[in-house]
């Protein structure tokens, strides 16, 4: 009788499919991992001002790393070399602002109304001349929904970082914190690196050093590539707008340069703005020329320049970039949109470096 009961229990156990049994065994582990991930994202949102300041400090440190190394090579003390690199960065930004802002400030005020006039022209064409059965009321409703969506995104982006009347204070504090952190990153970077490696078990220190070097190189490649591609695209769009007789060439060129730091999405949005400005200030022929130039420049950048400029720093499929930008914006607002691509690139390059086999000497 006992033997028959044991056989019955073993038969019941075999009724569970092996795949189901394996999935159930991993189910609780997946739940724990998801909970940890959600907790980490919640913590990042609560400390977003500090996190953003540290990220900005890392980017500035990477941008002026070469001059600081050169000063140290010439025998400058670490503090003096760090101060020199920081002053070089601030001086470069101040020089650009001094050159560009007076020329662009007045035109930037007209950029919004110009785009709105172009959108009105497009709506009028869709209602009156386009072979589509569209009503003006439907377009007005769609436009209002889009305006509300953009406004809500901006508000949520602001509330993600700060709230209420302390926005200016938090932004100023974040910038000051970023500058202070940049100085210490430049001054004590080697000490930070040595301390970190000491916390890693000895057999894994070589791997940790490789991963850090790969992440550092990825950030540098991203910054150089985005700046160079933005310069090329901004110059091409700005010159084209000027040649077709459109107005606001400087603001659109500057907007195109800044948008290059959000790959794919930024270039598309900047191209749309350039076309709308040309449509409003240079009629349909100028808008068509600007659209063709924007399309050609973006294709040349994506197919020819980007692989050479970025190298392996940004070897990501466009679909990965698109999902990273959308996810970053949904989680952390505008700042998340800008930082999504470099953070994703660093993560993917670090994983690739960790999986790479290195010959043992």
């Amino acid at each position: 009788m006992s033997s028959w009961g044991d056989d019955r229990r073993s038969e019941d156990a075999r009724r569970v499919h092996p795949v189901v049994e394996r999935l159930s065994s991993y189910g609780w582990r997946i739940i724990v991992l998801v909970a940890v991930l959600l907790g980490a994202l919640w913590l990042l949102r609560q400390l977003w001002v500090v996190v953003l300041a540290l990220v900005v400090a890392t980017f500035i440190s990477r941008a002026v790393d070469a001059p600081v190394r050169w000063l140290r090579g010439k025998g400058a003390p670490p503090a003096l070399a760090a101060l020199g690199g920081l002053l070089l960065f601030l001086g470069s930004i101040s020089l650009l602002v001094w050159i560009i802002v007076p020329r662009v400030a007045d035109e930037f005020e007209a950029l919004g109304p110009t785009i709105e006039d172009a959108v009105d022209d497009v709506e009028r064409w869709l209602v009156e001349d386009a072979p589509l059965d569209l009503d003006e009321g439907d377009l007005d409703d769609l436009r209002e929904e889009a305006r509300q969506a953009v406004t809500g995104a901006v508000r949520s982006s602001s509330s993600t970082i700060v709230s209420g009347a302390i926005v200016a204070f938090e932004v100023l504090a974040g910038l000051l914190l970023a500058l202070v952190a940049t100085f210490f990153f430049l001054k004590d970077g080697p000490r930070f690196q040595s301390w970190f490696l000491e916390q890693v078990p000895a057999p894994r220190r070589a791997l940790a050093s490789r991963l850090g070097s790969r992440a550092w190189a990825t950030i540098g490649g991203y910054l150089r590539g985005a700046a160079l591609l933005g310069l090329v695209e901004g110059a091409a769009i700005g010159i084209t707008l000027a040649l077709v007789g459109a107005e606001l060439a400087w603001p659109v060129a500057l907007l195109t340069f800044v948008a290059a730091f959000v790959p794919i999405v930024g270039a598309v949005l900047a191209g749309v703005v350039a076309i709308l400005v040309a449509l409003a200030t240079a009629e349909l022929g100028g808008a068509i020329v600007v659209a063709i130039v924007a399309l050609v420049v973006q294709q040349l950048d994506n197919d020819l320049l980007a692989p050479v400029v970025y190298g392996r720093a940004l070897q990501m499929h466009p679909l990965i970039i698109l999902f990273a930008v959308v996810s970053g914006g949904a989680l952390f607002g505008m700042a998340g949109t800008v930082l999504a691509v470099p953070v994703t690139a660093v993560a993917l390059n670090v994983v690739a470096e960790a999986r790479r086999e290195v010959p043992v000497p």
Side-chain angles (χ1 to χ4, degrees):
M1 189 69 177
S2 175
S3 175
W4 180 82
D6 294 341
D7 294 340
R8 180 67 178 271
R9 285 192 294 271
S10 62
E11 182 180 354
D12 292 340
R14 285 195 298 269
R15 289 179 182 175
V16 180
H17 195 278
V19 176
V20 177
E21 185 178 2
R22 177 171 296 182
L23 289 177
S24 63
S25 65
Y26 281 102
W28 68 270
R29 296 179 175 88
I30 296 175
I31 293 175
V32 172
L33 290 176
V34 171
V36 171
L37 178 61
L38 292 177
L41 291 176
W42 177 85
L43 185 61
L44 284 178
R45 290 174 67 92
Q46 300 305 311
L47 301 176
W48 185 234
V49 173
V50 177
V51 174
L52 184 60
L54 293 177
V55 172
V56 171
T58 302
F59 282 8
I60 298 176
S61 300
R62 187 62 184 91
V64 299
D65 179 65
V68 172
R69 288 179 178 271
W70 181 82
L71 289 174
R72 286 192 173 188
K74 295 298 182 179
L80 183 60
L83 182 61
L86 188 59
L87 291 177
L88 176 63
F89 172 78
L90 294 177
S92 301
I93 297 297
S94 301
L95 180 62
L96 291 176
V97 170
W98 179 71
I99 294 175
I100 295 176
V101 168
R103 185 185 299 270
V104 178
D106 296 336
E107 296 184 0
F108 252 117
E109 295 180 359
L111 184 60
T114 301
I115 295 176
E116 190 170 353
D117 293 340
V119 173
D120 291 338
D121 294 339
V122 173
E123 288 184 357
R124 193 177 303 110
W125 177 82
L126 289 173
V127 173
E128 299 176 358
D129 301 327
L132 300 172
D133 188 14
L134 294 177
D135 183 69
E136 187 173 356
D138 297 335
L139 292 178
D140 290 339
D141 294 340
L142 182 62
R143 186 173 180 177
E144 183 62 26
E145 291 178 1
R147 183 182 291 110
Q148 291 178 358
V150 172
T151 304
V154 172
R155 288 177 180 174
S156 63
S157 175
S158 299
S159 62
T160 298
I161 302 175
V162 289
S163 61
I166 60 172
V167 174
F169 174 77
E170 292 288 349
V171 171
L172 179 61
L175 291 176
L176 292 177
L177 179 60
L179 293 177
V180 173
T182 300
F183 172 78
F184 284 106
F185 284 175
L186 294 174
K187 174 179 175 292
D188 299 324
R191 292 175 56 188
F192 291 153
Q193 181 180 1
S194 300
W195 176 86
F196 176 77
L197 290 177
E198 290 176 357
Q199 313 309 310
V200 179
R204 295 184 177 274
R205 288 178 184 172
L207 174 62
S209 179
R210 280 173 39 218
L211 297 183
S213 298
R214 183 70 177 269
W216 194 244
T218 300
I219 296 174
Y222 168 77
L223 292 176
R224 288 192 302 269
L228 181 57
L229 293 181
L231 185 62
V232 172
E233 294 175 2
I237 296 298
I239 292 174
T240 303
L241 286 172
L243 290 178
V244 300
E247 300 176 3
L248 308 178
W250 269 98
V252 175
L254 182 60
L255 178 64
T256 304
F257 172 78
V258 174
F261 288 87
V262 185
I264 299 180
V265 178
V268 172
L269 293 179
V272 171
V273 170
I275 295 171
L276 291 176
V277 169
L279 181 63
T281 61
E283 304 300 333
L284 181 60
I288 294 175
V289 173
V290 172
I292 294 174
V293 171
L295 182 62
V296 171
V297 169
Q298 291 178 15
Q299 289 302 314
L300 289 177
D301 284 351
N302 293 334
D303 298 336
L304 296 179
L305 287 180
V308 176
V309 172
Y310 283 120
R312 64 176 184 174
L314 205 66
Q315 290 181 352
M316 296 189 298
H317 193 275
L319 193 60
I320 298 178
I321 295 177
L322 182 61
F323 275 103
V325 171
V326 174
S327 301
L331 291 173
F332 302 108
M334 188 62 66
T337 302
V338 176
L339 298 178
V341 174
V343 170
T344 304
V346 168
L348 293 179
N349 278 274
V350 166
V351 171
E353 184 66 28
R355 298 179 60 183
R356 187 170 65 91
E357 295 183 1
V358 178
V360 179

